[in-house]
Amino acid sequence: MSMEPTHARITRFGALGHGSTPPSTAFDDLPARVSERLAHGEYDAAARSATAATCIDRRPRVDGTDPLLPNVGGGFFGILTAVRAVRPSFDPDLLTADGLAKALISQGLPVFVHIDQNFAVGKKSGCAFNDHLPEISAHVHQIVDEAMAVFGIDPDAPGDGSTTLRDMAERLLAMSQADDLREDAFSRLSAAQDMGATTEILQGTDPGVGADFSFHDGHTLSRMDVLADGPWQFFHVDAWSFEPTAVTLARILPRSHAQAELTEESLVWQLQTAMFLSSVAAVSLLCGPESTLVIRP
């Protein structure tokens, strides 16, 4: 089963959109105009890494720099979610924010987290994925059918692709109900920062009017090009980076004894599927039925 589209599609979230769409005001033509440019890769730039590191939130950083690193839903927290979803495949110590951050940083891999410039301690960090990680993980179970329909995945095709998606959704649901991690958004954030994670401080708010899932291998969005073009309200997911990120994780992270015999190919597919589902679930909760969805090769 392949998640990659054969051609670019510009559509609406429809049944997959479980959030609210901001009211149209001065940006009535923004979704259509930006969607066309996205579909043609006009904002793309060569990524500086193959491993996902930053979040789908594309607001400008306070210092004005652009890391040009691949994005997944939640950035580092999205990767943490994927690793947890395949447990007991990995050592339990890697299921904590500090444990995984330490393991990635020790291998020279980028680890990015973000907060709002004016975030309120004890209320919201500013990263919607981190703030609502349990709800997003639980939400995956509800949107599998809609996700397969929108991405053109045939649930009745030969093979076990749809079975893998449903099984992973069940694991993410179980993870959202687990009480053994004893954490919240701020303890996760602090743990990653204590291990040396790079903190992006973002300005303003992120009222996304749509999302872009890009399979354009080796490329991400240039935040500077986007800002130069005007208001930017699309979430961006570098879906092409799911596989290289999963390959890297499968090779460098120590496994538990329970899954020592699991093949690397199987583990990569599970991690890749978990990143796909958690990213789709995040934008599903952030975007409404009328929000624009761009899916492109």
Side-chain angles (χ1 to χ4, degrees):
M1 182 191 70
S2 174
M3 302 170 189
E4 185 172 351
T6 57
H7 60 279
R9 293 178 57 214
I10 301 175
T11 184
R12 299 286 182 184
F13 268 79
L16 186 61
H18 289 252
S20 59
T21 303
S24 296
T25 53
F27 307 121
D28 287 341
D29 67 336
L30 180 65
R33 179 166 57 87
V34 174
S35 297
E36 289 291 342
R37 299 193 66 177
L38 278 172
H40 288 91
E42 293 184 31
Y43 294 116
D44 286 355
R48 293 174 181 163
S49 169
T51 304
T54 62
C55 191
I56 61 177
D57 191 319
R58 301 306 297 160
R59 286 176 292 165
R61 302 173 77 185
V62 169
D63 63 7
T65 59
D66 188 350
L68 287 177
L69 296 173
N71 300 253
V72 297
F76 167 72
F77 298 117
I79 295 173
L80 177 64
T81 301
V83 171
R84 288 176 174 177
V86 299
R87 66 176 177 177
S89 297
F90 294 114
D91 187 296
D93 289 343
L94 294 174
L95 302 180
T96 61
D98 55 351
L100 183 61
K102 181 178 180 180
L104 296 180
I105 291 171
S106 69
Q107 294 291 324
L109 296 173
V111 176
F112 278 63
V113 296
H114 79 76
I115 59 175
D116 284 341
Q117 185 177 21
N118 56 348
F119 82 103
V121 176
K123 294 183 180 179
K124 289 186 177 181
S125 69
C127 174
F129 194 103
N130 184 31
D131 288 336
H132 304 292
L133 191 153
E135 296 94 322
I136 289 171
S137 297
H139 180 63
V140 173
H141 186 262
Q142 303 172 24
I143 54 93
V144 172
D145 289 332
E146 289 95 338
M148 285 194 286
V150 169
F151 281 84
I153 299 171
D154 183 358
D156 300 317
D160 62 352
S162 61
T163 301
T164 303
L165 286 169
R166 296 183 191 285
D167 177 61
M168 189 58 66
E170 292 287 350
R171 294 193 215 176
L172 287 164
L173 175 62
M175 186 191 74
S176 71
Q177 298 171 333
D179 60 2
D180 57 331
L181 295 172
R182 300 185 183 282
E183 63 181 18
D184 57 26
F186 291 97
S187 63
R188 279 190 296 269
L189 178 65
S190 296
Q193 290 174 320
D194 289 346
M195 291 299 109
T198 299
T199 302
E200 292 185 281
I201 302 176
L202 306 182
Q203 306 176 57
T205 58
D206 59 345
V209 297
D212 165 50
F213 276 77
S214 171
F215 293 83
H216 190 181
D217 188 35
H219 291 76
T220 188
L221 255 63
S222 166
R223 194 178 315 204
M224 298 302 100
D225 289 346
V226 167
L227 291 174
D229 192 45
W232 179 241
Q233 294 179 303
F234 270 61
F235 299 108
H236 172 74
V237 183
D238 283 307
W240 66 267
S241 71
F242 294 161
E243 183 174 6
T245 300
V247 168
T248 298
L249 295 175
R251 290 178 178 171
I252 70 170
L253 299 181
R255 303 189 200 178
S256 66
H257 294 298
Q259 295 283 2
E261 301 303 317
L262 190 68
T263 67
E264 182 177 304
E265 181 181 16
S266 176
L267 186 55
V268 166
W269 176 241
Q270 290 183 51
L271 286 164
Q272 191 176 346
T273 304
M275 282 186 279
F276 170 75
L277 284 174
S278 60
S279 293
V280 172
V283 295
S284 174
L285 284 174
L286 293 169
C287 299
E290 295 303 312
S291 298
T292 302
L293 176 61
V294 181
I295 306 172
R296 57 195 176 100

